[in-house]
Structures are given as structure tokens and as C-alpha cells.
Amino acid sequence: MADWIITLHDKTIRRFTIRAGQQLAIGRGQDCDITIDNKAISRRHVSLAFLNGIYFISDLGSTNGTLVNGRKITVDEPVSEGDKIEFGKFTLSPAAGKEDGPGTGVSAAGDLDMNDETIFVKAQTTVSSGKTFQSESDGPYLTVIQGGGQPDKLALHGKNSIKIGKAEDCDLIVKGWFIAPAQCYIIKQGKGYCLIPQKSWAATMVNDTKAGRERPLRAGDIIKIRQNIIRFD
């Protein structure tokens, strides 16, 4: 069993554990073990396997390919600690000897490529910490109080990322002129949540102030996207 990390611009985005005999898929699709919402990443992009004490990296027929030491791979490739594995804008490497920075779980706002909506959505493969989590009924929630967003109330408990926008695959769909398909994300960071705006002609406001960068959310904050008003609590 070993920990690996995925980095973006030298910031740790996700740490995960792979066990002997396991193969993990990484991609944009919700059926992947680790999901990245980024247009440079294919639905099923790359896999990492740990078989007989050897790590193997495999491209899963991605559009933009997977590189090992700068070379695009076409078959299963054995890799070791010193190899550089790249896919899209991301780097995959063993976590041994590397410290997690403050941006672990999602990159700091200054490092997000907002034109590409680079956000981690989930990592299904986790190690139980033995902690007891609160029930979904305890919140937190996003509640639509004006504008007809759907659903009108959304529980965040158990979710690492919420996408808000006009696209049909958004977790909370809001309509209106100039609203982007992915207008903003709400990301779990540690014990709290933060809002990360995306490139859009319509402003994302928090408490009547335009959110230009990553912004922590607190109970009672009001998110406004044109005529849509949403309360976080």
C-alpha cells in the first residue's frame, strides 16, 4: 500500500492510496476512481496499477495522451519513483518524501486555470480515518431563495465539489443571460468550504462583493448570480 499525489503547477491537488493488486482509473467521468473536471482530461484518461510490487501506468485511449518522461505511451508502462508522469496539465507521482501544501484537496485560487475550469470533483478511493461524520440532515446546504435554481435545496455533506452554472450536468443549475455553463464551484477545504469563480460574462457575487478569486464561505453568506440568489448555511 502506498500514497500517490496529483499536482498542478507544483501544488498538491489530491493524495490517494493504492493497494497491492489494485488498479485506479483517473479521468473526467463520474465512474472513475478519481475524477477531474477539466476539458483537457478525457472521460477515462489514465490508470495506475500496483501489481506484483510494480507500478504500471496505462493510457485509457485519451484524446490528449499520457506522457512518461516526455514520451507518449501506447501500452502498459512500468514506472518507478524517478519517472515523470504527465496527463493534461497534471503530474502524477509517489507521495513519499513530499509534503502537502496548504492547497491540498484543491489548488490555491491563483494556481487554477480558470479558462479550463480546473477543479477536482471527487476521489472515490479513500482510506477510512475512523472519524464519525455528521448526517446529511445536519448540512451544510445551498438554498435557492430567488431565481428558480434547481434543485431549490442542495446538501453539501459528503461532496468534495459542487458545480453551479447553466449546464445540465451542474449540481445546481441556474439560468440567465451570460451565465457560464460552469459559473463557479464550491469546494470542500479541510473543515470548511470555499467558492471558486470561473470565467464568465456574468459576475458571481458573495455578500454583494464580486468574487474574483477563491473565497471562503461562512454560514449565512449570500451568493448572487444575476437574478439567482443562493444562501450558504
Side-chain angles (χ1 to χ4, degrees), residues 131 188-193:
K131 296 179 180 178
K188 183 171 177 57
Q189 282 192 336
K191 296 181 179 180
Y193 290 83

Short mmCIF file of all heavy atoms in Angstrom, two decimals, residues 131 188-193:
data_model
loop_
_atom_site.label_atom_id
_atom_site.label_comp_id
_atom_site.label_asym_id
_atom_site.label_seq_id
_atom_site.Cartn_x
_atom_site.Cartn_y
_atom_site.Cartn_z
N LYS A 131 -13.11 8.49 11.74
CA LYS A 131 -13.90 9.60 12.26
C LYS A 131 -15.38 9.33 12.04
O LYS A 131 -15.78 8.64 11.10
CB LYS A 131 -13.51 10.91 11.56
CG LYS A 131 -12.08 11.33 11.83
CD LYS A 131 -11.78 12.62 11.08
CE LYS A 131 -10.35 13.07 11.32
NZ LYS A 131 -10.02 14.29 10.57
N LYS A 188 -14.86 21.65 -0.96
CA LYS A 188 -14.57 21.39 0.45
C LYS A 188 -13.08 21.55 0.68
O LYS A 188 -12.26 20.99 -0.03
CB LYS A 188 -15.02 19.97 0.83
CG LYS A 188 -14.82 19.65 2.30
CD LYS A 188 -15.47 18.34 2.66
CE LYS A 188 -15.21 17.97 4.11
NZ LYS A 188 -15.66 19.02 5.05
N GLN A 189 -12.72 22.33 1.69
CA GLN A 189 -11.33 22.52 2.08
C GLN A 189 -11.23 22.34 3.59
O GLN A 189 -11.73 23.16 4.36
CB GLN A 189 -10.82 23.91 1.70
CG GLN A 189 -10.47 24.05 0.23
CD GLN A 189 -9.71 25.33 -0.03
OE1 GLN A 189 -9.81 26.30 0.71
NE2 GLN A 189 -8.95 25.35 -1.10
N GLY A 190 -10.58 21.25 4.01
CA GLY A 190 -10.49 20.98 5.43
C GLY A 190 -11.87 20.80 6.03
O GLY A 190 -12.66 19.98 5.56
N LYS A 191 -12.19 21.60 7.04
CA LYS A 191 -13.50 21.51 7.70
C LYS A 191 -14.50 22.48 7.12
O LYS A 191 -15.66 22.51 7.56
CB LYS A 191 -13.34 21.77 9.20
CG LYS A 191 -12.49 20.73 9.92
CD LYS A 191 -12.41 21.02 11.40
CE LYS A 191 -11.57 19.96 12.13
NZ LYS A 191 -11.47 20.24 13.57
N GLY A 192 -14.08 23.29 6.14
CA GLY A 192 -14.98 24.29 5.57
C GLY A 192 -15.14 24.16 4.07
O GLY A 192 -14.75 23.17 3.46
N TYR A 193 -15.70 25.20 3.48
CA TYR A 193 -15.94 25.24 2.04
C TYR A 193 -15.50 26.60 1.50
O TYR A 193 -15.49 27.60 2.23
CB TYR A 193 -17.43 25.05 1.72
CG TYR A 193 -17.93 23.65 1.98
CD1 TYR A 193 -18.30 23.26 3.26
CD2 TYR A 193 -18.01 22.72 0.96
CE1 TYR A 193 -18.74 21.98 3.52
CE2 TYR A 193 -18.46 21.43 1.21
CZ TYR A 193 -18.82 21.07 2.48
OH TYR A 193 -19.26 19.79 2.73
#
